[in-house]
Amino acid sequence: MFRIGCHISASGGYEAMGRRAEALGGNTFAFFTRNPRGGAAKEIDPADAEAFLAFCRKRDIDRLVAHAPYTLNPCAAKENVREFAHTAFADDLRRMEFTPGQYYNFHPGSHVGQGIEIGIEKIAEVVNAVLFPEMTTTVLLETMAGKGSEVGGRFEELRAIIDRVTLSDKIGVCLDTCHIWDGGYDVVNDLDGVLTEFDRVVGLGRLKAVHLNNSMNDCGSHKDRHAKITEGKMPLDAIRRIITHPALEGLPFILETPNDEEGYAAEIALLKELHG
């Protein structure tokens, strides 16, 4: 099944999110667990969560990709920033159990001059502190564009984090098409080669979701500027090859393009047509 959706506002609660996703034509979606710039999260209404799960089962909406706040930086140099990362991460994983068996995606973070190795160690330290054996959620490391001091711009960096996680069966990867393109992985002219390299370094079994975005910039720019599906540097035929590639079959594709709901609905319809 082709699973396609977009980021949905969490306002109104879980069931409201499910209904908005369906109205846009999606059968999966992403949402922020709290304000994307950080802060406290609203308490979950268990009755709303149960109604949402019933709605999703009826409509076959699944493989949800929750997103951590952008301010979550587990490899920050400042201790208070790392403490927020630990606290918010742990709280979000507790909250994720209201929607069991789904995904929680986060940006690995920026080492802010400490060096990539220290960054990797600190990320793994926080991840090890928040994972627990009984959790049903899979935590996803997101591929990054490699701008500034970001960790995760190369597949090897993600592998190094995974290798340091004790409960590694709880860890997967979300591949962002804009990020890896900007990071120098040419998914337009060598998609097979990129996926082969990912399999060699990380393993395709770890790949659980795709953020489907075009890019405003050329391959290898290290900029991280998302574009609408039909307006970026990656031609539409390359997008079609991505969503129909056998190695990505069954994964949730989440749009993070600069759109309003009308734009997302149009892109979802277009991608369904392209997928066939």
Side-chain angles (χ1 to χ4, degrees), residues 4-249:
I4 181 69
C6 62
H7 259 281
I8 298 290
S9 168
S11 63
Y14 280 113
E15 188 175 7
M17 286 195 293
R19 293 188 182 279
R20 280 197 292 273
E22 183 187 44
L24 296 176
N27 55 7
T28 184
F29 65 90
F31 64 98
F32 281 103
T33 54
R34 62 189 66 223
N35 187 300
R37 298 302 168 190
K42 183 180 178 181
E43 277 302 314
I44 294 172
D45 176 358
D48 175 47
E50 284 299 321
F52 167 73
L53 293 175
F55 177 84
C56 287
R57 285 192 294 269
K58 187 174 181 180
R59 301 301 203 279
D60 196 18
I61 296 174
D62 198 11
R63 304 296 87 193
L64 311 182
V65 187
H67 203 302
Y70 293 131
T71 49
L72 192 150
N73 184 7
C75 61
K78 295 181 178 179
E79 189 59 35
N80 66 313
V81 178
R82 290 192 70 230
E83 180 58 34
F84 168 77
H86 178 278
T87 302
F89 209 145
D91 184 46
D92 281 353
L93 292 186
R94 177 189 64 81
R95 296 161 60 82
M96 286 298 296
E97 292 305 304
F98 283 92
T99 55
Q102 307 301 330
Y103 300 129
Y104 178 81
N105 178 77
F106 78 105
H107 293 180
S110 296
H111 63 71
V112 288
Q114 301 171 95
I116 195 70
E117 287 301 323
I118 290 176
I120 287 168
E121 291 289 348
K122 286 189 171 182
I123 295 164
E125 179 183 332
V126 170
V127 172
N128 276 323
V130 299
L131 298 187
F132 53 97
E134 304 82 17
M135 63 187 285
T136 65
T137 303
T138 302
V139 171
L140 306 185
L141 294 158
E142 184 171 340
T143 58
M144 303 307 293
K147 62 181 174 64
S149 62
E150 278 182 344
V151 180
R154 304 303 300 171
F155 297 155
E156 288 82 1
E157 295 168 15
L158 301 180
R159 178 79 242 182
I161 296 167
I162 293 168
D163 284 345
R164 289 164 172 77
V165 175
T166 303
L167 298 176
S168 63
D169 61 313
K170 309 294 185 183
I171 292 286
V173 172
C174 175
L175 186 150
D176 186 300
T177 55
C178 169
H179 292 176
I180 63 171
W181 166 261
D182 281 22
Y185 292 100
D186 191 352
V187 293
V188 170
N189 298 299
D190 190 21
L191 177 60
D192 284 341
V194 172
L195 292 176
T196 297
E197 178 69 359
F198 183 93
D199 191 34
R200 182 187 70 81
V201 176
V202 179
L204 282 169
R206 296 275 183 188
L207 185 54
K208 303 298 183 182
V210 177
H211 282 168
L212 188 65
N213 303 300
N214 212 322
S215 173
M216 291 183 174
N217 297 288
D218 293 324
C219 185
S221 65
H222 303 292
K223 295 289 188 182
D224 186 10
R225 295 291 302 280
H226 295 195
K228 295 179 181 179
I229 289 298
T230 59
E231 296 182 6
K233 296 286 187 175
M234 300 161 63
L236 195 56
D237 191 56
I239 300 293
R240 181 192 60 78
R241 289 195 298 273
I242 291 170
I243 64 175
T244 59
H245 197 285
L248 307 179
E249 179 69 29

